[in-house]
């Protein structure tokens, strides 16, 4: 029997708190889970620094990847199977893309991508196509199968229906992470009726659509997404930890470029610092490696690196106020100046960070991300209507971008009056830090 | 106001998936949570290698420690407060001991303790009493306060009621971990009605007791405990990963003793290998440090170290059969011999492991652990009866130790017939490994 | 000790699936729960005919009333107690009003109120003030205590903060029923983070307000409310059963007025039919009484009464289409005419029903219901801001009324071609009923 | 297409809080649900008088019957389908028997059966085979199909595997009610891992068996069952309400036999009182009918009937003590005598009630119920081992019957010293009733 069709003698299951069980019958899927590149996802947290805010959020991308796979498996095996609009040949590529969609994530992805100009989607592609165990498994299916899987993940696959299962405004990826992140943090916001959504999802040429009778479940999903972004993903304390992380990497890079003599040389980071990280070096990175360096760098001589690492390890985070530097340029310049006068490098200790989200968008050609909207399938089983044209609630928030600006700084240093007392008082005045 | 009595201006809460919220009002508790020794618990998983079996089990001891604190807080603030048998002066020492009871755990505690002869209770004591941030916070309460907290944790505290809240056959520690581990793994076994148990817990001179009306909830807790031990904690796959971990540490130690020239020198392990690990070195150990070494040791020259590390990182675990070497000594000797003939070192690749549990014990003076039994408080509010004398179910399992023996080995190596084909076949025959 | 202050020797608890436990310490509350008027709520379903749509929705108003009491108890005992803005003297009247707020509901309230022109709030007042066990318990507190409790329920109580706990756009009543109805139906829409809302609720002179930090939980509550209305409370199948119920009561009244000779005389309904229902007669009504009559009326001679009762008992409901008679008056008139021609009385078998909801409203003096808006308490602990001025989502739906019109009819009769075949075909054509 | 094979054009689902959704594709099942005999189950509570103890337990047998059907559907469609030991022809009879297994239950079954010598299994058979809508639907499948369905329910069906799905020590009936009753009452005892049990259930000639790997889930199920019996089903307060109910029916029957002139004649009970209840009369009985009579009988002249009804309606229950009349015959006789002297009829006001349960039994030929034990399927996929021979916990409770005796009486009457003061004091002394 062809490798693509091989089934395990007995179904394997993973106990999963979100989906109860994740079911695996295909040998290809089982083999992919066993690869070292996939197992590496166990060492990369799903929510980066969120565990500093919500201590339950310690789950990994391994966890989430299995969940996305399971949702796609249920859609194609339980709902799409046998429908004329669904091509059964697309089953395996859908499952593999679902499982592997996050495989290119590095440790603390956001910060790493920003500091080093990386792109996890690019690395996902390289892992799928390059000299890896994953590629070897996929190639056993057929020569061009790795290309197909990569195309689905990169949204260039010709069958847009398949792409939409993994990347759209309502896809298996989002449906899993909203529920999963809510479960592990313990918040109630991520709940929506996925069972109902799965019952009403239908295959169409350009994308998956949703029967009108499930509209309220879809609305609820959009609201969950909105709440999770502002309650969890953009939580200012989480971002404070990310600021520390970015600044630490930044500092280490700067020192490296200045040929600073590290006690613990950043061998695992060297190629990143040099802007030329090979596939092999990339997959060698995970969060335990990063944590190890941060751990030992607490003993470095450089005061800034040492301080930032120690703050990160011991959760001694920066405090914050609402502040948009673009709107208050003079004040910001004054603050930078005062920080310098107080002997605190504003480059590392006065940090602006912004978050921005567009909870749902209808189709606006030529504008911004050109997101594919969500379509509802009318009772005639043919006509499609765009979600926001039917839903008052979704219409109300469609296309509305919300942005939030914060300014981060080490309040403990600013309160320490053993030095630069006057300047620090002026700073505290501007930042409106009063004694608790 | 004395430090012991200081309250935060506004209560702090931690969102917790098990207890909904963990509430902190006391400045002492808040300060302890902020210490680096306590924050270190974020980098030590609650369930060691269990995440290889149940992928959801990635939660840390930080997580659990807050939970134990919260349960004790509810007991003393909501139930014991105001009762004549409860001395309100014991409140703070109870809370601190609850929070800190696991602070001496090292990375992958079980394996480390076994291989290096460590004792986490000893290190807990040293962290509480030694030159640490935790000790500095506790000492601000009073000079002998650290000693008191350590005494509670070490069960030498004179007020046995306080000790029983944290260490007994039904304590806050167990009540938290059963529920928490069930939540993160997603299994249904850890559920019992803690709310009911908390409603019926009462302070008595020698220990906390439980009103008769809550007996069924206590029974259910005992059953949960039994199931969790055999379903989760002693799961053979988890133990297989532990076997790998122990053997890796073992090998590294051996190589160190043989002055093997490591590419990545085990500086963080040196004192452990030498059997003299200082407090400072100990608290510098966490799971990201261990994972880092395992990661880089995949590139070592020593074949065994390299192989074991790679297996651990990539979850290429040993398989197992039921086998008690004590009962089948000859067969075991034969297997060891055959392994050697096949060029596979039995010291590292043929490993016996046993688990054993006594789900509940009544008091048997002089025997084994001399556990304090659980007492039920009769309706007269005075008489106490030992649990197993009232409960058929508990009576049925009291004092019954269950033990399980397994033999672990690398099935992939034994199936590889490119070398030592005949010997491997004999081994496979004995181990009853047939083609799947 | 005064009756108002008497506590039970031991706290009583009710196991409750929504709040885990409902706690009772006050003798007054315990005595109220034991009255026959309160026990009667066990025989009145919380959600009327909803169980025909969601089979789980079989819970009673007894169930819900305990829940509202428990939420108010937690607010006043755990959060408000000790705050300067809260007058501890208001505790008991708040608890009693919470417990009793629904005590005047009759069987299938909506339909009964519409058909007989009743007002459950009026009957609540009469039960609290009249010759009842409840009044006797309340009067033991003080002579004017029944008046106070009635005033809170009727929103005429001078302390508007107390009123707002039970009747406002975010009150204990709604918080309980959204969660409870979601629990029993099994839908996911009713979940919001009540624990968080309770943590941020604060007493102010005119009403309870909510700390800004809990805004997202309040938003989520508003969304839950919106979804529950359209998914559960206004579900067209539930309304179909209500249509049947109303029409049955209507028919029985008509027959009574025509001196029709009932086999089972409607003695329990007589005073309702005559528009003069005494308090005693009212509290004698419950859903088992109504069901009994419907049951036996299946054997009446009158074809319409018999048919409607049988449909209700056996869930043979009317089907529906979207249809607004006001917008299509001619078509409606034609349909009525055709129904008559087909020998089907449109008065009973062609029924228009509309539902309408305003999910949240800010304050608009002089307009409609003049709802009190929800206020957020800023960080300065003084300034209040109206919710929709801070929340994009709430702003988006504020003041937007949504209305839905449906037309109900017996599709089985229209499909039965044994008589009036041509007319029925024309009707089916207009109603767009095609063979399934 | 044959009626047996007809599928609904679109699957129908019922939202269910326990199983999320109940799925119906078969026209036969859909038609059965629509029959009046099945809809009648909406008017019969699953747990009789339990709602007096656990207010959440207001769910109906309709609710539970759908759940049992859904579990059997999952077993046969998801697990058994395609296995050689399973005959696909048995699918429909299994589903129908699951759905209809409780259709013969009357109102408050236990009490009715005891007082009137009824047998709900007999009535189930008569409903399936007699002149009913259910019979008409089943007969459309084939002439002997009703007989087959009845045989499965009555355990006389030749294929014992089919019988075991609905009636055995671990069947769909029990799995549903344990979970459902736990859900509605809100207790935590009924949880066990049904998903796991369903994964390991396998068809064998004589019954369904369970793979060894699921043994712990089965153990947990047995423990849940044990706890639910003693915590919920045998709760002394529930039994107190049942005592009232039985005694009321008893009194009404006695009065009827004495030709007492009822104000509200018990027409619906007449044939029951006369011991000759026809099928038609039987299905006309439901709990709203019973409640109606109890309601109006509060106004009867007979003091005992009136009092018992009023107690039942207003939850003015009897209190109880542990007491086994068989063990203390003299005391019991003395109490009866004293009751008579106090003018309280012991026949109605001094009631012994016992509960007894055998949580699990292995096979003991000729003894008691000869229950079929639960078998585990060993890894060889052939050998079967009886559960208690493998499980320590189950072994410990196997065959152990637990019995509990209580004596019920109206404590309010005994405390009322306005008459028979001395005798009542003696009674109170014996019953150990002291002032609260």
């Amino acid at each position: 029997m062809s490798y693509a069709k091989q089934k395990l003698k007995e179904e394997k299951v993973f106990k999963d708190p979100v989906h109860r069980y994740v079911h695996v019958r295909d040998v290809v899927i089982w083999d992919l889970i066993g690869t070292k590149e996939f197992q590496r996802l166990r060492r990369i947290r799903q929510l980066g620094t969120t565990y500093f805010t919500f201590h339950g959020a310690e789950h990994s991308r391994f966890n989430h990847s299995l969940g996305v796979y399971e949702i796609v498996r249920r859609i194609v095996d339980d709902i799409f199977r046998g429908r004329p609009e669904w091509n059964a040949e697309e089953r395996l590529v859908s499952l593999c893309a679902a499982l592997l969609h996050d495989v290119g994530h590095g440790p603390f992805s956001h910060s790493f991508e920003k500091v080093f100009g990386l792109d996890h989607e690019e690395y996902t592609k390289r892992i799928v196509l390059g000299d890896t165990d994953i590629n070897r498994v996929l190639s056993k299916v057929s020569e061009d199968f790795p290309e197909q899987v990569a195309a689905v993940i990169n949204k260039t696959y010709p069958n847009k229906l398949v792409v939409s299962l993994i990347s759209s405004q309502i896809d298996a990826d989002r449906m899993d992470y909203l529920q999963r992140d809510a479960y592990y943090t313990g918040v109630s916001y991520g709940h929506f009726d996925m069972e109902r959504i799965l019952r009403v999802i239908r295959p169409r040429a350009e994308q998956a659509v949703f029967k009108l009778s499930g509209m309220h479940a879809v609305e609820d999903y959009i609201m969950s997404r909105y709440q999770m972004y502002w309650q969890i993903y953009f939580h200012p304390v989480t971002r404070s930890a990310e600021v520390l992380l970015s600044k630490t990497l930044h500092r280490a890079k700067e020192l490296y470029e200045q040929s600073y003599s590290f006690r613990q040389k950043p061998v695992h980071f060297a190629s990143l610092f040099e802007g030329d990280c090979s596939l092999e070096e990339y997959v060698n990175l995970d969060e335990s490696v990063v944590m190890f360096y941060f751990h030992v760098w607490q003993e470095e001589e450089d005061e800034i690196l040492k301080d930032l690492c120690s703050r990160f390890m011991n959760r001694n985070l920066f405090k914050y106020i609402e502040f948009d530097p673009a709107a208050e340029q003079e004040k910001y310049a004054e603050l930078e100046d005062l920080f310098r006068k107080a002997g605190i490098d504003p480059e590392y200790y006065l940090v602006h960070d912004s978050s921005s989200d567009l909870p749902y968008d209808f189709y606006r050609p030529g504008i911004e991300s050109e997101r594919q909207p969500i379509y509802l399938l009318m009772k005639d089983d043919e006509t499609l209507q765009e979600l926001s044209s039917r839903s008052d609630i979704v219409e109300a928030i469609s296309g509305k971008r919300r942005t939030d600006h914060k300014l981060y700084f080490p309040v403990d240093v600013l309160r320490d009056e053993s030095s630069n007392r006057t300047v620090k008082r002026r700073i505290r005045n501007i930042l409106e830090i009063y004694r608790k």
Side-chain angles (χ1 to χ4, degrees), chain A residues 200-211:
Chain A
V200 301
I201 194 169
R202 290 293 176 274
R204 284 296 176 272
E206 286 301 302
Q207 66 176 341
V209 300
F210 302 85
K211 287 173 63 183

Side-chain angles (χ1 to χ4, degrees), chain A residues 265-283:
Chain A
K265 279 197 189 133
V267 286
H268 288 83
F269 292 114
S271 64
L272 280 176
F273 290 163
E274 285 165 11
D276 177 32
C277 185
S278 74
L279 178 54
E280 200 193 337
E281 287 162 327
Y282 189 80
V283 298

Side-chain angles (χ1 to χ4, degrees), chain A residues 127-284:
Chain A
I127 288 169
V128 169
L129 301 180
D131 177 19
T132 60
D133 286 0
I134 282 179
N135 180 269
R136 277 180 284 280
V137 172
L138 296 175
S139 296
K140 281 170 69 182
V141 173
S142 75
E143 203 183 337
D144 62 346
F145 194 64
E147 284 286 1
Q148 290 175 33
V149 172
V152 174
I153 298 173
N154 287 305
K155 301 168 216 160
T156 57
Y157 194 68
N159 186 334
K160 293 308 174 202
L161 167 57
V162 171
V163 173
S164 79
L165 294 178
I166 289 136
S167 312
S168 66
Q169 293 199 72
I170 179 164
D171 58 21
D173 182 18
R174 293 181 183 193
M175 286 200 280
D176 184 79
Y177 73 61
L178 292 178
Q179 292 180 89
R180 189 167 302 275
D181 299 343
Y183 187 89
Y184 283 96
T185 55
V187 302
S188 59
Y189 303 109
H191 298 300
F192 56 91
D193 191 353
M194 187 180 76
E195 296 301 308
R196 178 125 193 102
I197 292 179
L198 294 190
R199 270 183 48 74
V200 301
I201 194 169
R202 290 293 176 274
R204 284 296 176 272
E206 286 301 302
Q207 66 176 341
V209 300
F210 302 85
K211 287 173 63 183
L212 179 62
S213 63
M215 183 181 82
H216 286 288
V218 174
E219 285 180 343
D220 215 33
Y221 155 86
I222 299 276
M223 293 301 138
S224 283
R225 189 194 166 288
Y226 174 86
Q227 294 285 33
M228 287 296 285
Y229 269 78
W230 289 103
Q231 293 300 291
I232 309 295
Y233 305 138
F234 296 160
H235 195 287
V237 172
T238 302
R239 285 154 58 194
S240 180
E242 250 175 47
V243 160
L244 269 185
L245 181 61
S246 304
K247 290 299 169 184
T248 308
L249 295 172
H250 205 88
R251 183 61 176 180
K253 183 165 183 267
E254 194 175 63
L255 292 173
Y256 180 86
E257 286 163 357
Q258 295 166 1
S259 305
Y260 166 82
S261 159
F262 286 88
R263 289 189 187 172
Q264 177 81 33
K265 279 197 189 133
V267 286
H268 288 83
F269 292 114
S271 64
L272 280 176
F273 290 163
E274 285 165 11
D276 177 32
C277 185
S278 74
L279 178 54
E280 200 193 337
E281 287 162 327
Y282 189 80
V283 298
N284 255 327

Side-chain angles (χ1 to χ4, degrees), chain A residues 59-120:
Chain A
H59 56 302
S60 71
R61 292 191 181 274
F62 181 88
N63 218 307
H64 162 62
S65 297
L66 288 182
V68 178
Y69 152 80
E70 175 67 8
I71 295 175
V72 171
R73 190 195 65 74
R74 289 185 58 190
I75 293 174
V76 302
D77 285 358
D78 298 350
I79 295 109
F80 284 8
R81 190 167 60 173
R83 294 192 184 268
E85 302 89 344
W86 174 246
N87 178 356
E89 295 296 307
E90 305 283 25
R91 179 180 176 277
L92 193 62
V93 75
S94 304
L95 297 184
C96 292
L99 188 73
L100 302 176
H101 78 287
D102 265 359
V103 88
H105 269 288
F108 302 107
S109 293
H110 276 326
S111 307
F112 267 67
E113 300 200 348
K114 226 163 61 181
V115 175
F116 300 121
L118 302 174
D119 174 8
H120 73 265

